[in-house]
Amino acid sequence: MSMFLWNLYEKKGNFKYLSLGVIGIFSIMCLIIIRQQVEIWQDTISLFKHGLTLNTNDYRGHYNLGEAYVAKDDADGAIEQFTLAIEQGWK
């Protein structure tokens, strides 16, 4: 997409201004998406918790969240997540 916009920019006339506008809008959209993701993905635990809100029956997500709790020395949280992972098919 960037090559397409750059080619428009190098053309004469209104294409130059059109491409600058599209680049500006695209950049703003990317910044908005990045800001939303940073709010969700503050750390490993929040990342896996968010993933589990999208798919609660994912044993890999529960296992990974358990590993994140182990890394934070939260034994209770780790045991809970490992138990859910085993119940949902982790071997």
Side-chain angles (χ1 to χ4, degrees):
M1 180 167 180
S2 61
M3 291 302 294
F4 171 74
L5 292 174
W6 185 255
N7 287 335
L8 277 181
Y9 177 77
E10 290 186 341
K11 293 185 186 262
K12 294 180 181 177
N14 291 334
F15 288 115
K16 187 173 191 175
Y17 300 110
L18 175 66
S19 66
L20 287 175
V22 170
I23 289 170
I25 291 170
F26 182 73
S27 298
I28 290 170
M29 288 172 46
C30 286
L31 289 173
I32 291 170
I33 291 169
I34 289 169
R35 186 174 187 281
Q36 290 173 342
Q37 291 304 316
V38 167
E39 288 177 4
I40 293 171
W41 297 347
Q42 297 169 3
D43 58 11
T44 306
I45 291 175
S46 65
L47 172 66
F48 288 119
K49 280 184 176 181
H50 177 71
L52 287 169
T53 62
L54 301 174
N55 184 5
T56 57
N57 296 325
D58 181 16
Y59 68 87
R60 286 181 226 102
H62 287 291
Y63 175 80
N64 290 330
L65 183 54
E67 288 290 331
Y69 280 130
V70 167
K72 295 277 187 177
D73 294 325
D74 182 355
D76 293 334
I79 291 169
E80 178 183 352
Q81 293 305 314
F82 290 143
T83 302
L84 288 169
I86 290 169
E87 289 173 356
Q88 293 175 4
W90 182 70
K91 298 174 184 170

